Amino acid sequence: MYLLMLRIRKFEEKVVELYPAQDMRSPVHLYIGHEAIATGVCLNLRKDDYVSSNHRGHGHCIAKGMDMRLMLAEFYGKKTGYCKGKGGSMHLVDPENGVLGTSAIVGGGLPLAVGAALASVMQGNERVSVAFFGDGAVDEGSFHESLNFASLKKLPVVFVCENNFYATNSHQSARHSNNDIACLAEGYMMPSVCVDGNDVITVFETARNAINRARSGKGPTFMECRTYRWKAHVGPDCDVEKGCRPREELDQWVKRCPVKRFRELLLDENVLPESEMLELARQVDEEIEEAVIFAKNSPLPSPTELYEDVY
Amino acid sequence: MDLPVDKVESTRASGPAAEGKRTRTYREALREALAQAMERDSRVFVAGQGVDDPGAVFGTTKGLAERFGRQRVFDTPIAENGITGIMIGAALAGMRPVLVHMRMDFLPMSMDQIVNHAAKWRFMFGGRVNVPLTIRCIIGRGWGAAAQHSQSLQALFVHIPGLKVVMPSTPYDAKGLLLASIADENPVIFVEHRWLFDQSGYVPEEEYVIPIGKGVIRRKGRDATVVAISHMAYEACKAAESLEKDGIDIEIIDPRSLSPLDDELIFDSVKKTGRLIIADTGWKNCGVGAEIAARVASDALGYLKAPIRRIATADTPTPCSFELEKEFYPSSEDIIFTVKELLNKSPLSPQPYRR
Ligand SMILES: Cc1ncc(C[n+]2csc(CCOP(=O)(O)OP(=O)(O)O)c2C)c(N)n1
Ligand SMILES: [Mg+2]
């Protein structure tokens, strides 16, 4: 669990480091600050369980078992990337790991997870679907349409709303008539909880119950996970200098860093000694270095590939 | 899937010659295709508003819910965009959904999932996934249906790479194209015309597919080419009978599929006749006729003996009053008038934009 959180954090930090070189030409929406959510949820999933995700999807993809080398190659527009350079940072897919595809249309991914869950029921298998989306998706009709249908048909879906209180620069209070997102889901007659999205153990346990419930045919569950993004909406910089958000607000949330909190817990409880943590960090650094080298050394697609894969 | 491919030369308005053969209506042909696809392939299912009610989408899904169960033939909430996305998700997870809309006018509600998701999923992900989804929708005409229950929006979808668009005009093509659409690995917008539902023609009992992207010559002729889409193929056939009495011989091409378009078939015909008219059920402005005209102008301009003409609905929303409907909708009369006019024109005579 600690390894996975570290992997996500360090992967995104590497993107921050590489991005200013201007050769990774794809808009990046970084997951830093949200790590406990993808980690806590996906560690409960089987390889063939489905996940739909959004523009801020790197963490979900890593947590679902995707290969960081192929992800980075995709960000660099390389032929060896997950989508042969046609998707970029916002569009990752991996059918082998159940990743249905990340949609950069706000709210676009929810129905896909519901549809995959419908297929699971029709096919009589036990696969569960998880939809990851932001508080922005709650504004969209597809959110309500998806919750209603999933509950109506008692489908094996877990809705995971990563509420970081902002959609670009727009605060939740400027957009939602009811700021209690979890409460909206109750209106669709499904169990719904609001948890601290920076506490990986809580997320893990809540998700475990929700996923077990889905797998045993009892229908969908809704999880609102409150968290905060550390970087700008898009790109490697921080946006507080631009006045997008109050600095004190960011500072408060950085103090509640999900990775740091989990590390402290592990140390306090003597679960993992510091030396092993350092070893894990070294291992992750190595993986990421290897991914960077793979991505940078990979060939670009040839122009004629543009015309492939339309149909 | 290995369904036999249609080889029948179909040169009549109602499709291949029906004498002494099995005939079915367009609506029955659609229902038969759905039933056979579901019978053979457990991945196929049918969803949409009213598919399991007594009306059964103008009878096209009648009996399917009883026969295949309400798990595979089911009503949906009135949530077109969400439901379209749910069908895409099911398709990604190995199913082959057929989503049914009573009217094409409801498709704009699901534009996001059709255009931003279904059409993009294969390309955007480098060909690693695909969306085998069929979206049936129906256009109508007349009886004061007015602006929100009559639209022929095919051009909107033809514009989008990643989608296929078909518009069968005969019972034979309705069955063969629906089976082809369900078997296709891509999202297909399948556009039906209500005025065709009662038409009957030859429909073989066994399964067969009409290849998507292959047009058909409905009538051979030498004086002018009329590319006629969906219901306009019938109007063109009516026009041909009348023109024949005046010694004028038109060739009618039914493209059947608008995306991909069988442009070779059209070019070959224009090279022979030197005159081109496109009769569409939709609007003229940026419509399918405009695209066909542009392709012919690019590839076969030197063969044209007269300007290209488009016959389409007036560039206004659909009116209710039957008096205004008469003005709005084109008919065989417009085709007759335009053919005669073109026979007396030189290639450089000006073409008024409005009818
Ligand atoms: C339909 C649609 N409208 C607008 C946008 C532009 N946009 C991209 S991300 C975003 C904010 C999304 O906020 P949220 O869902 O809370 O996710 P977060 O970025 O906070 O993780 C917006 C408005 C979009 N991509 N899609
Ligand atoms: Mg947000």
Side-chain angles (χ1 to χ4, degrees):
Chain A
M1 184 178 272
Y2 181 66
L3 178 70
L4 182 53
M5 284 178 92
L6 212 55
R7 208 177 258 148
I8 299 173
R9 171 65 59 92
K10 282 180 172 280
F11 179 85
E12 295 292 61
E13 281 175 350
K14 182 54 84 178
V15 174
V16 172
E17 179 194 318
L18 296 169
Y19 210 74
Q22 305 252 331
D23 52 357
M24 189 188 287
R25 298 186 223 169
S26 173
V28 288
H29 300 78
L30 299 172
Y31 200 67
I32 299 179
H34 290 220
E35 294 87 346
I37 306 170
T39 304
V41 173
C42 291
L43 284 180
N44 287 291
L45 292 176
R46 299 179 185 167
K47 187 176 162 80
D48 66 355
D49 283 336
Y50 297 110
V51 157
S52 80
S53 156
N54 63 359
H55 56 286
R56 203 173 300 288
H58 304 170
H60 312 134
C61 293
I62 294 175
K64 197 65 182 59
M66 284 175 67
D67 186 333
M68 293 189 292
R69 293 176 311 157
L70 309 195
M71 286 175 65
L72 262 188
E74 187 60 36
F75 299 1
Y76 277 107
K78 298 297 179 75
K79 188 185 167 75
T80 53
Y82 267 109
C83 313
K84 305 184 203 159
K86 286 171 174 159
S89 148
M90 291 191 286
H91 302 301
L92 296 164
V93 79
D94 189 8
E96 276 102 76
N97 280 300
V99 179
L100 293 164
T102 61
S103 177
I105 298 295
V106 171
L110 281 91
L112 305 186
V114 176
L118 175 69
S120 296
V121 171
M122 294 181 100
Q123 293 162 355
N125 64 41
E126 291 197 325
R127 293 162 94 168
V128 168
S129 294
V130 173
F132 287 106
F133 51 94
D135 49 293
V138 176
D139 308 15
E140 292 281 0
S142 60
F143 168 89
H144 300 273
E145 294 175 351
S146 298
L147 263 63
N148 178 53
F149 191 83
S151 180
L152 177 75
K153 303 276 176 185
K154 297 242 171 315
L155 299 179
V157 193
V158 179
F159 295 99
V160 180
C161 177
E162 305 190 11
N163 183 6
N164 59 14
F165 305 96
Y166 289 88
T168 61
N169 298 327
S170 171
H171 193 265
Q172 191 195 357
S173 57
R175 293 176 290 114
H176 292 176
S177 57
N178 181 350
N179 275 355
D180 184 349
I181 295 174
C183 163
L184 290 178
E186 275 169 25
Y188 291 104
M189 311 303 280
M190 67 179 85
S192 181
V193 279
C194 177
V195 299
D196 178 353
N198 282 19
D199 175 358
V200 68
I201 298 292
T202 305
V203 174
F204 179 82
E205 283 172 354
T206 312
R208 185 180 53 201
N209 291 338
I211 290 163
N212 286 344
R213 189 172 177 276
R215 215 182 293 286
S216 60
K218 299 202 182 89
T221 302
F222 191 93
M223 291 172 62
E224 175 189 352
C225 302
R226 296 200 169 167
T227 187
Y228 204 74
R229 90 174 126 73
W230 290 15
K231 295 291 176 183
H233 166 67
V234 60
D237 305 323
C238 184
D239 56 357
V240 291
E241 289 85 7
K242 294 191 199 135
C244 296
R245 299 176 290 167
R247 168 159 298 283
E248 311 75 64
E249 192 178 89
L250 173 64
D251 290 345
Q252 281 306 311
W253 280 92
V254 170
K255 278 191 204 135
R256 295 160 62 188
C257 169
V259 186
K260 189 181 82 177
R261 275 168 70 183
F262 189 47
R263 180 169 47 229
E264 284 165 1
L265 180 79
L266 293 176
L267 288 172
D268 289 350
E269 309 266 322
N270 286 322
V271 184
L272 199 65
E274 181 124 35
S275 58
E276 274 183 47
M277 285 184 179
L278 287 171
E279 174 52 26
L280 286 180
R282 200 194 52 75
Q283 184 189 324
V284 170
D285 285 339
E286 235 170 60
E287 286 173 11
I288 291 173
E289 259 339 293
E290 196 197 320
V292 174
I293 291 166
F294 173 84
K296 289 199 166 171
N297 290 342
S298 285
L300 289 164
S302 67
T304 53
E305 286 175 49
L306 173 64
Y307 303 98
E308 294 168 7
D309 304 323
V310 178
Y311 295 99
Chain B
M1 188 179 63
D2 302 321
L3 291 182
V5 172
D6 154 66
K7 288 274 187 319
V8 186
E9 176 80 352
S10 70
T11 53
R12 294 156 34 108
S14 57
E19 287 85 22
K21 292 200 187 145
R22 182 178 186 265
T23 63
R24 290 291 180 272
T25 63
Y26 189 97
R27 125 183 34 239
E28 287 163 347
L30 291 169
R31 188 168 62 215
E32 185 166 272
L34 288 175
Q36 289 178 338
M38 292 184 77
E39 186 67 56
R40 178 174 34 78
D41 187 345
S42 63
R43 300 171 302 173
V44 178
F45 70 94
V46 177
Q49 291 162 39
V51 295
D52 60 351
D53 75 11
V57 192
F58 307 108
T60 59
T61 58
K62 211 172 192 61
L64 295 180
E66 292 74 11
R67 182 162 158 203
F68 296 101
R70 285 194 154 70
Q71 256 234 339
R72 282 180 80 192
V73 181
F74 59 86
D75 194 21
T76 63
I78 309 149
E80 289 78 5
N81 194 47
I83 297 298
T84 304
I86 289 166
M87 295 304 129
I88 296 170
L92 289 171
M95 303 300 285
R96 302 188 90 84
V98 180
L99 175 59
V100 188
H101 296 274
M102 296 278 277
R103 315 249 175 207
M104 196 171 198
D105 308 73
F106 309 149
L107 285 194
M109 294 300 297
S110 45
M111 226 44 179
D112 167 48
Q113 285 296 334
I114 296 174
V115 175
N116 290 328
H117 293 83
K120 304 293 189 279
W121 235 238
R122 181 172 163 78
F123 180 88
M124 194 163 84
F125 295 124
R128 294 188 45 140
V129 285
N130 50 279
V131 180
L133 167 64
T134 302
I135 301 180
R136 280 184 54 200
C137 58
I138 301 166
I139 51 178
R141 174 169 171 164
W143 205 252
Q148 296 177 332
H149 285 76
S150 61
Q151 298 170 84
S152 269
L153 300 173
Q154 58 270 26
L156 296 182
F157 300 97
V158 171
H159 189 61
I160 308 295
L163 297 178
K164 295 186 179 182
V165 182
V166 300
M167 293 185 78
S169 73
T170 65
Y172 184 81
D173 289 350
K175 178 171 173 182
L177 277 172
L178 186 50
L179 285 169
S181 301
I182 295 170
D184 203 281
E185 297 300 335
N186 301 283
V188 182
I189 311 290
F190 187 94
V191 190
E192 303 156 22
H193 197 295
R194 251 175 90 189
W195 278 24
L196 299 171
F197 277 1
D198 291 324
Q199 299 287 347
S200 62
Y202 171 51
V203 176
E205 182 163 9
E206 66 277 8
E207 291 180 70
Y208 58 92
V209 293
I210 308 267
I212 296 176
K214 283 220 72 66
V216 68
I217 300 171
R218 289 262 175 254
R219 182 186 194 281
K220 290 205 195 300
R222 56 163 201 271
D223 295 327
T225 299
V226 178
V227 175
I229 295 164
S230 184
H231 177 253
M232 291 310 287
Y234 275 84
E235 296 294 324
C237 290
K238 257 200 266 175
E241 277 172 32
S242 159
L243 286 164
E244 202 175 295
K245 292 184 194 127
D246 296 328
I248 301 170
D249 185 22
I250 61 170
E251 179 145 303
I252 300 171
I253 293 188
D254 178 353
R256 304 195 284 199
S257 155
L258 302 181
S259 181
L261 180 70
D262 192 350
D263 32 23
E264 289 302 326
L265 188 70
I266 298 171
F267 297 158
D268 287 347
S269 177
V270 170
K271 286 176 186 171
K272 189 173 71 175
T273 65
R275 296 179 184 87
L276 174 65
I277 292 164
I278 305 126
D280 187 13
T281 58
W283 285 292
K284 189 182 278 185
N285 186 20
C286 283
V288 174
E291 178 59 29
I292 294 174
R295 291 195 195 184
V296 169
S298 294
D299 287 45
L301 186 67
Y303 295 88
L304 287 173
K305 298 179 206 153
I308 300 171
R309 283 290 157 88
R310 287 172 288 162
I311 293 172
T313 53
D315 281 328
T316 68
T318 315
C320 172
S321 163
F322 58 89
E323 195 57 25
L324 296 175
E325 277 182 342
K326 272 191 268 172
E327 178 65 17
F328 177 76
Y329 283 112
S331 68
S332 58
E333 296 299 313
D334 297 280
I335 298 173
I336 294 166
F337 177 85
T338 310
V339 169
K340 287 185 174 170
E341 191 198 17
L342 282 195
L343 285 167
N344 302 319
K345 288 265 183 199
S346 77
L348 294 178
S349 30
Q351 175 185 15
Y353 173 67
R354 308 236 166 253
R355 287 198 283 139

